[in-house]
Amino acid sequence: MIEVRHLTKRYGDHLAVDDLSFVVEDGTICGFLGPNGAGKSTTMNIMTGCLSPSEGDVLINGHDILDDPEGAKRTIGYLPENPPVYPDMTVYEYLTFVAELKKVPAKEREAQIETVIADLGLDPVCDRLIRNLSKGYRQRTGFAQALIGNPETLILDEPTAGLDPKQIIETRSLIRELGKTHTVILSSHILSEVAEVCSKVLIISEGRLLAADTPENLAKARHRTELVVTAEGAEEDVLRALDPFAGEGRSGILDLTRESEGTIRVRLAQPAGEDIRGQISRALFEAGCPVVELREEKEQLEEIFLELTETGSIKEEV
């Protein structure tokens, strides 16, 4: 488990992290989101002991990163945004070096190295110098070093950066598997990736926590579930049937489009926590307006992210 308590980091007059507090439970894959300059990398560097905070505490699996750095770091695998690889070593030599630094018992090193090489698809390049690798293979080598030592917690800064689409899919699959036995925090600029992989999302802006919840709960909390209704019939008949669900003055109708002759498409706000699709279907049927399409649309993580970071509204952690 990761506990961050009232974390603050100042660089002179600049406040990079502002009283940040959150908890990531064991077995959680947590997405760390924020615009450029939001304080994500600074927070990750403090969590891994690479930077000291101005104020606050970080506990990694019960170890204080300041008071017990060795104990905390023993449980962390860290992939920085720029992987810390040595270009004059081969991939195998580098991973052996990392295993020695992490004090992996000699009898376990070879097995661990071969396992991460297989997991990351590094077999074709394990005897090549790192400086001769593509960016994607360098990224995977950096990911591999984070896995050496079987750490309980993985902190990954842009883990799919530089990978091709096939490698991205494979890496996402690996992260899901790792999430079954590890606590994972990952930052990414690919919001769909976070929504697909992560069970919890932290959104920060200007060093402050704006939201901390599951992607599904964030969508519900924003009260932005919508229904898209397409029906045949005259516009006035369709709207009359939808009146009981459209709010005062039809304020709940967000959009109306004439799809074709005699077909109307309406985007309708759905009250939070309710499912009114059955009622709408019956109302349109009784009005003689056959339903062509009726589907629910939840607000996407991209929209939630933009709204939160633009308004700066803060949601208490759940």
Side-chain angles (χ1 to χ4, degrees), residues 1-301:
M1 184 169 71
I2 300 171
E3 298 178 71
V4 174
R5 303 172 180 169
H6 303 290
L7 196 66
T8 299
K9 180 64 178 178
R10 299 183 183 87
Y11 294 101
D13 295 331
H14 176 61
L15 189 60
V17 179
D18 184 6
D19 195 28
L20 191 62
S21 296
F22 59 84
V23 175
V24 180
E25 303 289 346
D26 291 337
T28 301
I29 304 177
C30 181
F32 203 34
L33 299 177
N36 289 333
K40 301 188 300 297
S41 292
T42 299
T43 301
M44 286 183 158
N45 280 324
I46 294 172
M47 291 166 62
T48 54
C50 298
L51 280 176
S52 59
S54 303
E55 298 171 23
D57 303 294
V58 176
L59 272 68
I60 309 290
N61 301 309
H63 302 277
D64 191 298
I65 195 66
L66 293 179
D67 296 339
D68 184 15
E70 186 173 345
K73 290 178 183 180
R74 194 178 294 118
T75 69
I76 298 172
Y78 180 37
L79 173 62
E81 187 174 0
N82 298 307
V85 293
Y86 288 95
D88 292 328
M89 288 183 174
T90 67
V91 171
Y92 198 93
E93 288 170 343
Y94 171 66
L95 295 179
T96 301
F97 172 66
V98 170
E100 292 172 355
L101 283 179
K102 292 188 176 184
K103 300 180 181 180
V104 176
K107 61 182 179 181
E108 299 177 16
R109 286 175 195 164
E110 185 176 352
Q112 280 202 31
I113 292 167
E114 290 180 356
T115 297
V116 298
I117 283 175
D119 287 344
L120 272 299
L122 290 168
D123 303 82
V125 299
C126 65
D127 294 321
R128 290 174 58 183
L129 292 175
I130 292 174
R131 68 182 175 199
N132 295 329
L133 300 182
S134 67
K135 183 177 180 181
Y137 273 122
R138 288 194 188 197
Q139 185 75 5
R140 283 198 267 177
T141 301
F143 201 147
Q145 65 78 27
L147 297 179
I148 293 290
N150 292 321
E152 300 168 44
T153 300
L154 295 171
I155 298 177
L156 312 174
D157 198 353
E158 301 285 348
T160 58
L163 303 184
D164 63 37
K166 181 174 182 293
Q167 293 165 348
I168 288 173
I169 292 170
E170 291 170 349
T171 301
R172 288 177 184 172
S173 178
L174 175 61
I175 291 171
R176 287 192 204 97
E177 284 300 309
L178 291 169
K180 296 176 182 178
T181 53
H182 298 71
T183 303
V184 182
I185 287 187
L186 67 91
S187 71
S188 176
H189 285 99
I190 307 172
L191 301 188
S192 59
E193 176 174 87
V194 172
E196 182 180 340
V197 173
C198 298
S199 53
K200 182 174 182 177
V201 178
L202 302 173
I203 300 178
I204 70 170
S205 181
E206 298 179 348
R208 297 181 301 143
L209 183 68
L210 301 184
D213 213 326
T214 65
E216 295 79 12
N217 285 345
L218 283 175
K220 290 177 183 176
R222 304 304 292 177
H223 306 288
R224 292 294 295 275
T225 302
E226 299 172 2
L227 294 177
V228 177
V229 184
T230 304
E232 295 179 356
E235 180 179 324
E236 57 271 21
D237 293 335
V238 172
L239 290 177
R240 190 179 302 113
L242 294 178
D243 265 346
F245 317 100
E248 187 177 348
R250 294 180 176 170
S251 59
I253 293 180
L254 308 175
D255 183 52
L256 186 148
T257 308
R258 294 169 184 82
E259 293 283 284
S260 60
E261 186 68 31
T263 303
I264 307 298
R265 178 174 172 272
V266 180
R267 185 180 295 273
L268 192 71
Q270 179 170 248
E274 295 185 32
D275 188 346
I276 58 174
R277 287 175 292 180
Q279 300 171 56
I280 286 177
S281 182
R282 284 191 294 273
L284 287 167
F285 174 78
E286 292 169 359
C289 302
V291 175
V292 176
E293 180 187 35
L294 177 53
R295 59 185 168 86
E296 187 178 68
E297 272 193 0
K298 292 184 178 178
E299 190 175 21
Q300 298 299 306
L301 187 57

